[in-house]
């Protein structure tokens, strides 16, 4: 069982039973062996009666708790773990299981406390080290989590689950060669290990080896069909291969599973556009594009789709906004297909269920009913104070109502559990809206220290540096963003590049970048202003510069 071989364990246990072993002595082990094989009904046959010998009772109830957790019976799992805790309060494995139960039950802060208890009881417990690493990776970042996974690997060098977490974290911090070595070791131990092939596919996709990445994903044997990260990679690979119908289906499935995932929504919109499905694009995304926090990219896609449908009046509205607006780097409360009138009765029937509450609050926000959404979300945040999801939902409701300081408090509570990029974006906006620019920059800097491969966030940091005129810092962060492909089609970033080049006296580079930015967004006042300044730097009486300045005045009279 230590090797994860439930079949061999069952054979040995049945042999012991045939040779006179008492059923109560082997019931707990047999239950675990059946769970390792995924045979939960047979595991229940051995564990549910609770007939364990005295020296096996704590272990038996712990296995019963795991079984109930695997079956989704979380209250029953809690009762079983409580019985085990009465017998063995200092068992590190039990505290790890309690932590995982708490996490699944939305008590994520309490889960952190449980895993800390496990590690304090046994600093070398593999399950505790692994869970602690996962908690640290979520709340702090992969750089700080890596030592925890390395310690777990030292204790369990042939455990493919531990090796998989270690390999994934190595990839997050940019240690691709080390990650590849670990995945190869996983395949040596388990030639059909889907996680190893998935991680190798990620590496292949990152360096543009799309055919290899697709072949590697095929070797996962559809194990990741319902895993969001695998769906995302499959969708991107199908898009790159030109299989737009398949990519559309995958991105649609991903968005259905994660309706709050703005990136999935944009990928779906882009794929519909590339596939020429303009009617479907405007039908599904024009309501989101009408929102004030719609991204320039979504506005452009919807505008171009209306152009293709020869509805130029509607197209102009979206394209003008795309050229002149730079909203906060997040999208929340994208309208879904199910209205509040349908969602609300389901929530009232089970108000404590996150699966009912979250879609309702999101849809209320999307439909403009911010006050009621905030009331429901605040009640949930108080009721489930240890749940990051409940805190984020309450923060989003406050953000949409303009209560940025209150939203920030909810977000900070959620960040104790999981500081994701979307949450970072929300916190950054809240800091900026409350005038705390330095805190926003400091938060981004801390995040980048832990996530060195995140080019998008490096771009946000570069934007802050540009606005305060720190061109050395801008260049350093922009280079990190560019290395991850985040600059070429961003007019604002290219305009910053042009200004930076002006400051160091490189007029040729300034002109090149300013023109590139202008070609991408000719109606953007800030971009036009930069090109005007670059043109004027060559000749104060430059006719092009004067014309551009006149255009800037027409676009945005607030620009200098």
């Amino acid at each position: 069982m230590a090797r994860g071989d439930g079949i061999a364990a069952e054979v040995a246990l049945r042999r012991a039973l045939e040779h006179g072993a008492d059923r109560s002595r082997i019931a707990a082990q047999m239950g675990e062996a059946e769970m390792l094989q995924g045979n939960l009904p047979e595991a229940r046959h051995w564990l549910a009666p609770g007939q364990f010998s005295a020296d096996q009772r704590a272990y038996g109830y712990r296995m019963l708790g795991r079984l109930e957790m695997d079956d989704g019976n979380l209250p029953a799992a809690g009762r079983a773990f409580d019985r085990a805790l009465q017998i063995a309060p200092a068992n590190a494995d039990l505290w790890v299981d309690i932590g995982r139960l708490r996490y699944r039950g939305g008590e994520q802060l309490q889960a952190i406390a449980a895993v800390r208890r496990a590690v304090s009881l046994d600093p070398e417990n593999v399950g505790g080290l692994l869970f602690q690493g996962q908690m640290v990776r979520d709340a702090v970042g992969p750089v700080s989590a890596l030592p925890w996974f390395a310690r777990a690997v030292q204790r369990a060098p042939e455990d493919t689950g531990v090796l998989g977490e270690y390999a994934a974290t190595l990839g997050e911090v940019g240690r691709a060669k080390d990650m590849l070595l670990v995945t190869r070791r996983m395949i040596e131990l388990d030639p059909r290990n889907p996680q190893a092939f998935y991680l190798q596919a990620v590496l292949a996709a990152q360096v543009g080896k799309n055919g290899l990445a697709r072949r590697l994903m095929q070797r996962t044997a559809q194990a990741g069909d319902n895993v969001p990260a695998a769906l995302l990679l499959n969708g991107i690979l199908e898009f790159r291969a030109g299989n737009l119908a398949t990519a559309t289906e995958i991105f649609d499935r991903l968005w259905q599973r994660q309706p709050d995932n703005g990136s999935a929504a944009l990928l779906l919109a882009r794929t519909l556009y590339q596939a020429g499905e303009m009617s479907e694009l405007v039908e599904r995304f024009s309501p989101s594009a009408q929102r004030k926090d719609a991204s320039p990219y979504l506005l452009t896609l919807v505008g171009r789709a209306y152009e293709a449908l020869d509805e130029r009046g509607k197209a102009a509205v979206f394209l003008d906004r795309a050229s002149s607006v730079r909203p906060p780097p997040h999208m929340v409360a994208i309208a879904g297909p199910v209205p509040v009138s349908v969602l609300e009765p389901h929530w009232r029937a089970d108000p404590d269920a996150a699966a009912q509450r979250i879609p309702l609050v999101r849809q209320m926000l999307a439909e403009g009913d911010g006050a009621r959404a905030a009331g429901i979300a605040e009640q949930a945040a108080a009721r489930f104070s240890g749940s990051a999801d409940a805190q984020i939902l309450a923060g989003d409701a406050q953000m949409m109502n303009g209560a940025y300081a209150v939203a920030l408090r909810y977000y900070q509570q959620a960040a104790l559990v999981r500081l994701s990029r979307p949450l970072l974006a929300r916190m950054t906006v809240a800091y900026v809206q409350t005038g705390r620019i330095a805190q926003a920059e400091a938060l981004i800097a801390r995040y980048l220290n832990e996530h060195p491969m995140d080019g998008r966030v490096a771009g946000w940091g570069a934007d802050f540096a540009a606005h305060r005129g720190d061109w050395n810092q801008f260049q350093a962060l922009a280079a990190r963003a560019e290395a991850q492909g985040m600059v070429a089609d961003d007019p604002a970033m290219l305009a910053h590049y042009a200004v930076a080049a002006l400051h160091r006296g490189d007029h040729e580079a300034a002109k090149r970048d300013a023109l590139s930015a202008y070609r991408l967004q000719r109606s953007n006042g800030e971009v036009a202003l930069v090109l005007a300044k670059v043109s004027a730097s060559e000749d104060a009486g430059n006719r092009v510069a004067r014309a551009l300045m006149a255009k800037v005045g027409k676009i945005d009279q607030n620009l200098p």
Side-chain angles (χ1 to χ4, degrees):
M1 284 192 288
R3 296 198 307 269
D5 190 345
I7 294 174
E10 181 181 355
V11 169
L13 289 166
R14 289 197 182 278
R15 188 177 300 123
L17 194 62
E18 290 169 3
H19 285 77
D22 190 278
R23 181 185 176 93
S24 66
R25 291 295 304 276
I26 69 165
Q29 290 175 309
M30 191 66 86
E32 182 176 6
E34 297 295 348
M35 282 193 288
L36 284 171
Q37 298 173 63
N39 191 349
L40 301 190
E42 186 63 20
R44 185 170 295 281
H45 171 74
W46 286 94
L47 298 171
Q51 295 174 356
F52 312 116
S53 61
D55 63 330
Q56 296 285 301
R57 288 180 64 228
Y59 172 40
Y61 285 120
R62 182 163 68 85
M63 289 302 105
L64 178 59
R66 279 191 182 181
L67 172 65
E68 298 292 8
M69 191 160 52
D70 287 349
D71 254 349
N73 303 322
L74 302 191
R79 290 191 293 272
F81 288 147
D82 284 344
R83 295 190 70 172
L85 196 61
Q86 290 172 357
I87 303 165
N91 184 289
D93 288 323
L94 176 57
W95 278 103
V96 171
D97 288 335
I98 290 171
R100 295 196 182 280
L101 174 65
R102 289 175 176 176
Y103 197 93
R104 281 191 57 180
E107 296 179 327
Q108 291 148 346
L109 287 173
Q110 293 88 333
I112 292 172
V115 74
R116 286 177 179 165
R117 173 72 170 150
V119 174
S120 69
L121 288 167
D122 181 1
E124 301 304 318
N125 181 276
V126 174
L129 292 171
L130 188 65
F131 198 11
Q132 179 72 6
Q134 292 165 336
M135 296 287 96
V136 170
R137 186 173 57 193
D138 285 350
V140 183
V143 170
S144 292
L146 202 56
W148 291 98
F149 294 124
R151 281 176 59 188
V153 168
Q154 288 174 350
R155 297 292 298 167
E158 296 188 356
D159 187 320
T160 56
V162 174
L163 289 168
E165 293 288 353
Y166 185 45
T169 310
L170 286 168
E172 287 187 64
V173 302
R175 291 171 56 181
K177 290 183 179 179
D178 292 334
M179 173 182 168
L180 187 58
L181 288 174
V182 177
T183 58
R184 286 173 177 166
R185 176 58 179 153
M186 292 169 67
I187 293 169
E188 286 177 11
L189 294 166
D190 177 6
R192 296 185 178 181
N193 188 282
Q195 187 182 17
F197 290 117
Y198 164 73
L199 292 172
Q200 289 186 354
V202 170
L203 282 180
Q206 286 175 344
V207 297
K209 295 183 178 180
N210 300 317
L212 174 60
R214 292 184 73 201
R215 291 194 297 274
L216 288 165
M217 285 302 292
Q218 289 168 2
R219 297 189 69 177
T220 64
Q222 287 76 49
D225 278 358
N226 292 312
V227 177
L231 283 173
L232 176 63
L233 179 58
N234 270 325
I236 290 170
L237 292 173
E238 295 296 340
F239 181 91
R240 290 179 180 177
N243 302 324
L244 299 180
T246 304
T248 298
E249 186 273 328
I250 292 172
F251 289 139
D252 195 12
R253 189 152 33 113
L254 177 60
W255 194 27
Q256 296 279 347
R257 289 202 56 183
Q258 296 185 323
D260 194 34
N261 187 335
S263 296
L266 291 180
L267 285 167
L268 175 59
R270 178 184 177 184
T271 307
L272 289 170
Y273 181 82
Q274 290 295 116
E277 301 290 346
M278 304 305 176
S279 295
E280 185 176 355
L281 173 57
V282 299
E283 180 182 351
R284 297 187 68 171
F285 289 98
S286 60
S288 302
Q290 289 168 10
R291 292 174 47 77
K292 63 181 180 181
D293 63 344
S295 72
Y297 188 72
L298 181 62
L299 290 165
T300 300
L301 285 175
V302 172
R304 296 300 181 201
Y306 273 121
E307 268 190 344
L309 295 170
D310 204 28
E311 296 188 48
R312 298 190 178 276
K314 292 181 179 178
V317 173
F318 292 104
L319 293 174
D320 286 347
R321 284 184 58 208
S323 297
S324 60
V325 176
R326 290 200 74 209
H330 77 298
M331 288 180 62
V332 297
I334 300 174
V338 184
V340 168
S341 58
V342 174
L343 293 170
E344 191 166 1
H346 294 288
W347 166 73
R348 291 194 180 281
D350 190 2
D352 283 347
Q356 308 297 342
R357 179 178 63 253
I358 293 174
L360 173 65
V361 172
R362 294 278 181 234
Q363 194 66 17
M364 283 180 168
L365 292 172
E367 294 181 11
D369 193 352
R372 275 212 307 157
I376 294 170
E378 284 179 334
Q379 288 176 8
R383 173 105 167 75
F384 304 102
S385 59
S387 167
D389 292 336
Q391 304 303 314
I392 290 172
L393 192 67
D396 286 352
Q398 295 297 335
M399 177 91 85
M400 297 294 287
N401 289 327
Y404 297 103
V406 179
L408 184 59
R409 290 199 294 272
Y410 284 117
Y411 291 150
Q412 287 169 332
Q413 183 77 356
L416 295 174
V417 175
R418 184 172 56 250
L419 180 57
S420 62
R421 186 202 291 158
L423 179 56
L424 175 74
R426 289 160 160 83
M427 293 178 72
T428 300
V429 171
Y431 274 125
V432 170
Q433 293 293 336
T434 53
R436 299 157 72 180
I437 307 298
Q439 287 93 327
E441 283 204 77
L443 178 65
I444 286 173
R446 289 197 302 274
Y447 185 89
L448 286 173
N449 286 338
E450 289 287 337
H451 300 80
M453 303 297 290
D454 197 320
R456 192 177 302 278
V457 175
W460 299 347
D463 195 49
F464 275 105
H467 280 100
R468 59 182 167 80
D470 187 342
W471 297 109
N472 289 332
Q473 180 74 353
F474 166 79
Q475 287 289 163
L477 290 169
R480 290 175 65 172
E482 189 171 10
Q484 303 299 322
M486 295 293 166
V487 173
D489 59 352
D490 186 334
M493 188 68 75
L494 288 167
H496 290 328
Y497 263 116
V499 176
L502 269 186
H503 277 268
R504 64 176 185 268
D506 189 344
H507 290 273
E508 192 65 31
K511 187 174 182 178
R512 180 192 66 234
D513 291 331
L515 280 170
S516 296
Y518 185 71
R519 286 170 182 145
L520 286 168
Q521 281 193 349
R522 295 176 183 273
S523 300
N524 186 312
E526 293 184 9
V527 168
L529 178 62
V530 168
L531 182 56
K533 289 180 177 179
V534 170
S535 300
S537 71
E538 297 178 321
D539 175 7
N542 189 302
R543 180 175 58 83
V544 173
R546 292 199 304 272
L548 284 166
M549 289 302 293
K551 180 176 182 177
V552 169
K554 292 179 181 178
I555 294 172
D556 190 343
Q557 306 205 352
N558 294 320
L559 291 172

